[in-house]
PDB file of all heavy atoms in Angstrom:
ATOM      1  N   MET A   1     -23.555 103.389 -11.662  1.00  0.00           N
ATOM      2  CA  MET A   1     -23.352 102.626 -10.429  1.00  0.00           C
ATOM      3  C   MET A   1     -24.368 101.489 -10.343  1.00  0.00           C
ATOM      4  O   MET A   1     -24.083 100.385  -9.941  1.00  0.00           O
ATOM      5  CB  MET A   1     -23.497 103.583  -9.229  1.00  0.00           C
ATOM      6  CG  MET A   1     -23.212 102.893  -7.894  1.00  0.00           C
ATOM      7  SD  MET A   1     -21.462 102.421  -7.797  1.00  0.00           S
ATOM      8  CE  MET A   1     -21.471 101.710  -6.173  1.00  0.00           C
ATOM      9  N   LYS A   2     -25.609 101.834 -10.680  1.00  0.00           N
ATOM     10  CA  LYS A   2     -26.657 100.824 -10.654  1.00  0.00           C
ATOM     11  C   LYS A   2     -26.347  99.702 -11.633  1.00  0.00           C
ATOM     12  O   LYS A   2     -26.642  98.534 -11.378  1.00  0.00           O
ATOM     13  CB  LYS A   2     -27.998 101.459 -11.006  1.00  0.00           C
ATOM     14  CG  LYS A   2     -28.501 102.424  -9.914  1.00  0.00           C
ATOM     15  CD  LYS A   2     -29.847 103.018 -10.313  1.00  0.00           C
ATOM     16  CE  LYS A   2     -30.399 103.948  -9.231  1.00  0.00           C
ATOM     17  NZ  LYS A   2     -31.702 104.523  -9.584  1.00  0.00           N
ATOM     18  N   LYS A   3     -25.741 100.059 -12.783  1.00  0.00           N
ATOM     19  CA  LYS A   3     -25.381  99.039 -13.776  1.00  0.00           C
ATOM     20  C   LYS A   3     -24.335  98.104 -13.224  1.00  0.00           C
ATOM     21  O   LYS A   3     -24.390  96.898 -13.447  1.00  0.00           O
ATOM     22  CB  LYS A   3     -24.871  99.686 -15.058  1.00  0.00           C
ATOM     23  CG  LYS A   3     -25.970 100.417 -15.820  1.00  0.00           C
ATOM     24  CD  LYS A   3     -25.401 101.002 -17.110  1.00  0.00           C
ATOM     25  CE  LYS A   3     -26.504 101.688 -17.923  1.00  0.00           C
ATOM     26  NZ  LYS A   3     -26.005 102.258 -19.193  1.00  0.00           N
ATOM     27  N   VAL A   4     -23.384  98.672 -12.481  1.00  0.00           N
ATOM     28  CA  VAL A   4     -22.307  97.837 -11.920  1.00  0.00           C
ATOM     29  C   VAL A   4     -22.879  96.863 -10.923  1.00  0.00           C
ATOM     30  O   VAL A   4     -22.545  95.678 -10.894  1.00  0.00           O
ATOM     31  CB  VAL A   4     -21.228  98.724 -11.252  1.00  0.00           C
ATOM     32  CG1 VAL A   4     -20.229  97.853 -10.486  1.00  0.00           C
ATOM     33  CG2 VAL A   4     -20.537  99.559 -12.297  1.00  0.00           C
ATOM     34  N   ILE A   5     -23.794  97.378 -10.078  1.00  0.00           N
ATOM     35  CA  ILE A   5     -24.403  96.505  -9.062  1.00  0.00           C
ATOM     36  C   ILE A   5     -25.194  95.401  -9.735  1.00  0.00           C
ATOM     37  O   ILE A   5     -25.187  94.237  -9.347  1.00  0.00           O
ATOM     38  CB  ILE A   5     -25.302  97.337  -8.128  1.00  0.00           C
ATOM     39  CG1 ILE A   5     -24.428  98.284  -7.287  1.00  0.00           C
ATOM     40  CG2 ILE A   5     -26.111  96.428  -7.213  1.00  0.00           C
ATOM     41  CD1 ILE A   5     -25.219  99.273  -6.459  1.00  0.00           C
ATOM     42  N   ALA A   6     -25.900  95.765 -10.793  1.00  0.00           N
ATOM     43  CA  ALA A   6     -26.700  94.786 -11.519  1.00  0.00           C
ATOM     44  C   ALA A   6     -25.834  93.703 -12.121  1.00  0.00           C
ATOM     45  O   ALA A   6     -26.155  92.513 -12.092  1.00  0.00           O
ATOM     46  CB  ALA A   6     -27.509  95.481 -12.604  1.00  0.00           C
ATOM     47  N   LEU A   7     -24.702  94.144 -12.688  1.00  0.00           N
ATOM     48  CA  LEU A   7     -23.773  93.164 -13.290  1.00  0.00           C
ATOM     49  C   LEU A   7     -23.209  92.224 -12.238  1.00  0.00           C
ATOM     50  O   LEU A   7     -23.058  91.018 -12.463  1.00  0.00           O
ATOM     51  CB  LEU A   7     -22.632  93.896 -14.014  1.00  0.00           C
ATOM     52  CG  LEU A   7     -23.041  94.634 -15.291  1.00  0.00           C
ATOM     53  CD1 LEU A   7     -21.872  95.460 -15.835  1.00  0.00           C
ATOM     54  CD2 LEU A   7     -23.496  93.616 -16.349  1.00  0.00           C
ATOM     55  N   LEU A   8     -22.862  92.785 -11.085  1.00  0.00           N
ATOM     56  CA  LEU A   8     -22.316  91.952  -9.999  1.00  0.00           C
ATOM     57  C   LEU A   8     -23.366  90.946  -9.525  1.00  0.00           C
ATOM     58  O   LEU A   8     -23.062  89.784  -9.237  1.00  0.00           O
ATOM     59  CB  LEU A   8     -21.865  92.830  -8.822  1.00  0.00           C
ATOM     60  CG  LEU A   8     -20.608  93.689  -9.074  1.00  0.00           C
ATOM     61  CD1 LEU A   8     -20.353  94.633  -7.895  1.00  0.00           C
ATOM     62  CD2 LEU A   8     -19.399  92.782  -9.285  1.00  0.00           C
ATOM     63  N   THR A   9     -24.617  91.399  -9.456  1.00  0.00           N
ATOM     64  CA  THR A   9     -25.697  90.499  -8.997  1.00  0.00           C
ATOM     65  C   THR A   9     -25.871  89.335  -9.973  1.00  0.00           C
ATOM     66  O   THR A   9     -26.033  88.173  -9.590  1.00  0.00           O
ATOM     67  CB  THR A   9     -27.001  91.284  -8.894  1.00  0.00           C
ATOM     68  OG1 THR A   9     -26.829  92.343  -7.950  1.00  0.00           O
ATOM     69  CG2 THR A   9     -28.139  90.380  -8.423  1.00  0.00           C
ATOM     70  N   VAL A  10     -25.821  89.680 -11.266  1.00  0.00           N
ATOM     71  CA  VAL A  10     -25.941  88.644 -12.301  1.00  0.00           C
ATOM     72  C   VAL A  10     -24.794  87.644 -12.203  1.00  0.00           C
ATOM     73  O   VAL A  10     -24.977  86.426 -12.325  1.00  0.00           O
ATOM     74  CB  VAL A  10     -25.983  89.287 -13.698  1.00  0.00           C
ATOM     75  CG1 VAL A  10     -25.905  88.205 -14.768  1.00  0.00           C
ATOM     76  CG2 VAL A  10     -27.257  90.094 -13.858  1.00  0.00           C
ATOM     77  N   ALA A  11     -23.584  88.184 -11.966  1.00  0.00           N
ATOM     78  CA  ALA A  11     -22.395  87.316 -11.878  1.00  0.00           C
ATOM     79  C   ALA A  11     -22.514  86.343 -10.709  1.00  0.00           C
ATOM     80  O   ALA A  11     -22.197  85.152 -10.813  1.00  0.00           O
ATOM     81  CB  ALA A  11     -21.128  88.159 -11.758  1.00  0.00           C
ATOM     82  N   VAL A  12     -22.961  86.867  -9.559  1.00  0.00           N
ATOM     83  CA  VAL A  12     -23.111  86.022  -8.364  1.00  0.00           C
ATOM     84  C   VAL A  12     -24.140  84.930  -8.622  1.00  0.00           C
ATOM     85  O   VAL A  12     -23.988  83.757  -8.259  1.00  0.00           O
ATOM     86  CB  VAL A  12     -23.521  86.882  -7.152  1.00  0.00           C
ATOM     87  CG1 VAL A  12     -23.918  85.982  -5.982  1.00  0.00           C
ATOM     88  CG2 VAL A  12     -22.374  87.788  -6.772  1.00  0.00           C
ATOM     89  N   PHE A  13     -25.220  85.307  -9.298  1.00  0.00           N
ATOM     90  CA  PHE A  13     -26.285  84.355  -9.584  1.00  0.00           C
ATOM     91  C   PHE A  13     -25.794  83.230 -10.495  1.00  0.00           C
ATOM     92  O   PHE A  13     -26.094  82.059 -10.295  1.00  0.00           O
ATOM     93  CB  PHE A  13     -27.447  85.118 -10.237  1.00  0.00           C
ATOM     94  CG  PHE A  13     -28.617  84.245 -10.579  1.00  0.00           C
ATOM     95  CD1 PHE A  13     -29.456  83.739  -9.577  1.00  0.00           C
ATOM     96  CD2 PHE A  13     -28.882  83.898 -11.903  1.00  0.00           C
ATOM     97  CE1 PHE A  13     -30.507  82.917  -9.918  1.00  0.00           C
ATOM     98  CE2 PHE A  13     -29.938  83.083 -12.217  1.00  0.00           C
ATOM     99  CZ  PHE A  13     -30.771  82.586 -11.224  1.00  0.00           C
ATOM    100  N   ILE A  14     -24.987  83.625 -11.504  1.00  0.00           N
ATOM    101  CA  ILE A  14     -24.433  82.643 -12.446  1.00  0.00           C
ATOM    102  C   ILE A  14     -23.509  81.677 -11.726  1.00  0.00           C
ATOM    103  O   ILE A  14     -23.528  80.455 -11.947  1.00  0.00           O
ATOM    104  CB  ILE A  14     -23.692  83.341 -13.594  1.00  0.00           C
ATOM    105  CG1 ILE A  14     -24.706  84.094 -14.478  1.00  0.00           C
ATOM    106  CG2 ILE A  14     -22.909  82.354 -14.432  1.00  0.00           C
ATOM    107  CD1 ILE A  14     -24.067  84.967 -15.530  1.00  0.00           C
ATOM    108  N   LEU A  15     -22.656  82.229 -10.832  1.00  0.00           N
ATOM    109  CA  LEU A  15     -21.729  81.377 -10.069  1.00  0.00           C
ATOM    110  C   LEU A  15     -22.495  80.401  -9.177  1.00  0.00           C
ATOM    111  O   LEU A  15     -22.097  79.239  -9.010  1.00  0.00           O
ATOM    112  CB  LEU A  15     -20.790  82.228  -9.216  1.00  0.00           C
ATOM    113  CG  LEU A  15     -19.748  83.040 -10.009  1.00  0.00           C
ATOM    114  CD1 LEU A  15     -18.979  83.982  -9.072  1.00  0.00           C
ATOM    115  CD2 LEU A  15     -18.775  82.078 -10.695  1.00  0.00           C
ATOM    116  N   ALA A  16     -23.586  80.870  -8.592  1.00  0.00           N
ATOM    117  CA  ALA A  16     -24.380  80.005  -7.718  1.00  0.00           C
ATOM    118  C   ALA A  16     -24.981  78.851  -8.506  1.00  0.00           C
ATOM    119  O   ALA A  16     -25.008  77.703  -8.070  1.00  0.00           O
ATOM    120  CB  ALA A  16     -25.483  80.835  -7.052  1.00  0.00           C
ATOM    121  N   LEU A  17     -25.470  79.183  -9.706  1.00  0.00           N
ATOM    122  CA  LEU A  17     -26.043  78.146 -10.556  1.00  0.00           C
ATOM    123  C   LEU A  17     -24.995  77.114 -10.951  1.00  0.00           C
ATOM    124  O   LEU A  17     -25.239  75.907 -10.981  1.00  0.00           O
ATOM    125  CB  LEU A  17     -26.648  78.773 -11.818  1.00  0.00           C
ATOM    126  CG  LEU A  17     -27.947  79.567 -11.614  1.00  0.00           C
ATOM    127  CD1 LEU A  17     -28.372  80.222 -12.928  1.00  0.00           C
ATOM    128  CD2 LEU A  17     -29.061  78.673 -11.101  1.00  0.00           C
TER     129      LEU A  17
END
Side-chain angles (χ1 to χ4, degrees):
M1 184 67 179
K2 291 181 178 181
K3 291 182 177 181
V4 171
I5 292 173
L7 290 173
L8 290 174
T9 300
V10 172
V12 170
F13 180 73
I14 292 172
L15 290 173
L17 288 176

